[in-house]
Amino acid sequence: MGRGLAHMALTPAVNLGPATALVCRECGTSRELGPHYACEECFGPLEIAYDFGGITRADIESGPRNIWRYRGLLPVPSNIADTPNTEPGLTRLVRADNLAENLGLQSLWVKDDSGNPTHSFKDRVVAVALAAARELGFKVLACPSTGNLANAVAAAAARAGIRSAVFVPSDLESQKIITTAVYGGTFVTVDGNYDDVNRLASEIAGEQEDWAFVNVNVRPYYAEGSKTLGYEIAEQLGWRLPDQIVVPVASGSQLTKIDKAFTELIKLGLVEDKPYRVFGAQATGCDPVAAAFKAGHDVVRPVKPDTIAKSLAIGNPADGPYVLDVARRTGGTVEDVSDEQVVEGIRLLARTEGIFGETAGGVTVATLRKLVAGGALDPSAETVIINSGDGLKTLDAVAPVVAPSANIAPSLEAFRAAGLA
Ligand SMILES: *Cc1c(COP(=O)(O)O)cnc(C)c1O
């Protein structure tokens, strides 16, 4: 009997909804869906190709109140909503009039992704990676992480009843260590920076064939999860695209996929075709993409990260060149801000809108402020910024600069004496 036939009998065709193939972003070579992430011809990154058929606003609006309402646009089985996952998404889009007024903007929204199950946007990408990993026959959900991904992978694996294996730099914020360890699973701190941990993960992935490293060997599927941020923003604006959006950049995946989502919505006729500008936000202590943008380079030169914005501290960003493409194509820019400005950004968002973002949110708010001040952003155009994580996970960033107004004895006299009335 031919080996091909025996193989076909053992591996049924994968059911990943509208996904049809994997296509190389560099040379366009396509191959079948499977556990592949690099092009066999040129080693370029692979991306999902789709056949969406006809999909309407009503199809989406009648779906679950989480990212699975967009399952017809994602590489996941059509019955995905019936499988235990963390069901992230549909986080609030907050009208930020106070912050807008403070910065001199006419119309500003904050997409507050700290409202996800493990309090960062990473639940979106992990939910899609988990769905694909199961379909592709992986047994363990794994990742190298700067912290938020570790939370999301450990939680999703726990809920799915499978093993997790998470690797992080050992100097991570203690909050992110605790909020990963609590979910159980295998959890390893590594004496090195994120780029060291990432390289180790690739080496382990080469040996452990049934481990799905969400952002390494199932990265094409994982990355598509970020599209849901773009879909939600459009739907929550009443099926319309904003004029400008400011997005934090670590590997650059989130930014490029928000752009992909907007492009798809236009192509599908779900929103009106109109120009929009995409801006990237980095910390100066890890600014490889901003530096390349400003220098006019097409390649991104790796840096050694040194910033309090640890969730964005990827010195060698996989999607850096594609961020440059999106920013240049849409008329945006990539800016960077100092750690001091990051802390001010966190406090400004909290003070004006009652939203406590993590350091990545501080990077985004501070970048927004810089873009407005520098004239790169149009103050009269509708703007959206992403708050991608929760300030409770990066308390050390603000602990030194915030405090109660006073400490008093439990008496009216003491209250009056404190001069707070
Ligand atoms: C991972 C992360 C990002 C950016 O992710 P990329 O897709 O790698 O650019 C932004 N904000 C937070 C809080 C994150 O954890």
Side-chain angles (χ1 to χ4, degrees):
M1 196 171 86
R3 282 174 64 207
L5 263 181
H7 177 75
M8 274 171 66
L10 286 173
T11 45
V14 291
N15 166 16
L16 291 172
T20 55
L22 291 162
V23 181
C24 176
R25 287 198 70 155
E26 289 300 322
C27 73
T29 301
S30 97
R31 67 177 301 177
E32 81 290 354
L33 292 170
H36 320 294
Y37 61 101
C39 176
E40 283 183 313
E41 303 293 324
C42 75
F43 301 108
L46 298 176
E47 192 173 34
I48 313 287
Y50 296 95
D51 178 1
F52 289 134
I55 187 160
T56 65
R57 291 177 183 175
D59 292 336
I60 293 167
E61 285 165 354
S62 64
R65 297 203 54 78
N66 55 52
I67 61 167
W68 301 140
R69 67 204 281 103
Y70 308 108
R71 65 193 177 282
L73 303 169
L74 295 169
V76 297
S78 50
N79 64 346
I80 183 63
D82 306 329
T83 318
N85 206 311
T86 53
E87 292 93 32
L90 273 205
T91 56
R92 56 195 190 136
L93 182 71
V94 180
R95 217 192 145 81
D97 289 340
N98 299 330
L99 180 58
E101 194 186 330
N102 183 290
L103 298 177
L105 289 168
Q106 259 170 40
S107 175
L108 178 66
W109 302 84
V110 178
K111 179 62 171 166
D112 184 14
D113 240 20
S114 67
N116 278 311
T118 70
H119 314 286
S120 88
F121 108 96
K122 288 298 197 301
D123 291 312
R124 299 175 182 275
V125 280
V126 169
V128 174
L130 170 59
R134 277 174 150 156
E135 191 63 27
L136 297 172
F138 287 100
K139 299 284 182 280
V140 177
L141 201 66
C143 70
S145 170
T146 58
N148 285 318
L149 189 60
N151 290 176
V153 162
R159 185 151 157 71
I162 64 173
R163 182 181 166 196
S164 63
V166 164
F167 301 82
V168 300
S170 49
D171 73 346
L172 209 60
E173 296 97 340
S174 63
Q175 290 90 6
K176 284 181 183 161
I177 304 261
I178 296 162
T179 53
T180 300
V182 72
Y183 297 112
T186 303
F187 178 31
V188 183
T189 60
V190 179
D191 293 329
N193 64 25
Y194 174 77
D195 298 287
D196 297 322
V197 178
N198 192 33
R199 185 182 30 76
L200 173 63
S202 297
E203 287 166 13
I204 297 172
E207 284 189 354
Q208 305 295 124
E209 288 202 343
D210 57 359
W211 288 26
F213 280 86
V214 296
N215 50 343
V216 182
N217 54 348
V218 290
R219 188 173 180 87
Y221 306 92
Y222 158 96
E224 296 295 289
S226 286
K227 291 196 305 181
T228 60
L229 258 174
Y231 299 147
E232 285 179 22
I233 289 165
E235 185 181 352
Q236 289 171 319
L237 285 174
W239 292 109
R240 179 163 82 62
L241 301 183
D243 299 318
Q244 314 177 115
I245 182 162
V246 186
V247 185
V249 173
S251 73
S253 179
Q254 180 184 145
L255 183 145
T256 57
K257 296 300 171 176
I258 287 175
D259 170 64
K260 187 177 183 189
F262 287 175
T263 310
E264 286 174 352
L265 292 177
I266 292 172
K267 272 202 197 121
L268 288 162
L270 294 172
V271 298
E272 209 171 287
D273 191 355
K274 65 166 259 202
Y276 57 85
R277 298 200 291 155
V278 182
F279 295 84
Q282 294 207 297
T284 306
C286 183
D287 68 344
V289 188
F293 184 90
K294 289 174 191 179
H297 294 160
D298 293 331
V299 291
V300 173
R301 194 174 306 151
V303 302
K304 242 193 174 15
D306 179 15
T307 170
I308 58 168
K310 292 184 181 169
S311 59
L312 302 183
I314 297 184
N316 189 11
D319 292 300
Y322 305 119
V323 170
L324 296 173
D325 289 347
V326 171
R328 289 181 181 138
R329 193 193 77 233
T330 63
T333 62
V334 188
E335 254 310 338
D336 59 278
V337 288
S338 71
D339 281 4
E340 221 171 45
Q341 291 171 316
V342 172
V343 174
E344 281 168 23
I346 294 173
R347 297 178 73 188
L348 180 62
L349 180 63
R351 237 180 16 241
T352 55
E353 299 298 341
I355 298 171
F356 184 18
E358 74 145 76
T359 45
V363 167
T364 308
V365 172
T367 298
L368 170 72
R369 174 139 101 176
K370 190 168 176 180
L371 291 170
V372 178
L377 221 112
D378 177 356
S380 63
E382 182 166 57
T383 306
V384 172
I385 63 170
I386 312 278
N387 178 44
S388 48
D390 192 321
L392 289 174
K393 289 202 227 179
T394 58
L395 289 172
D396 295 348
V398 287
V401 292
V402 295
S405 305
N407 177 54
I408 61 171
S411 74
L412 239 144
E413 206 174 33
F415 170 70
R416 287 191 194 121
L420 297 168

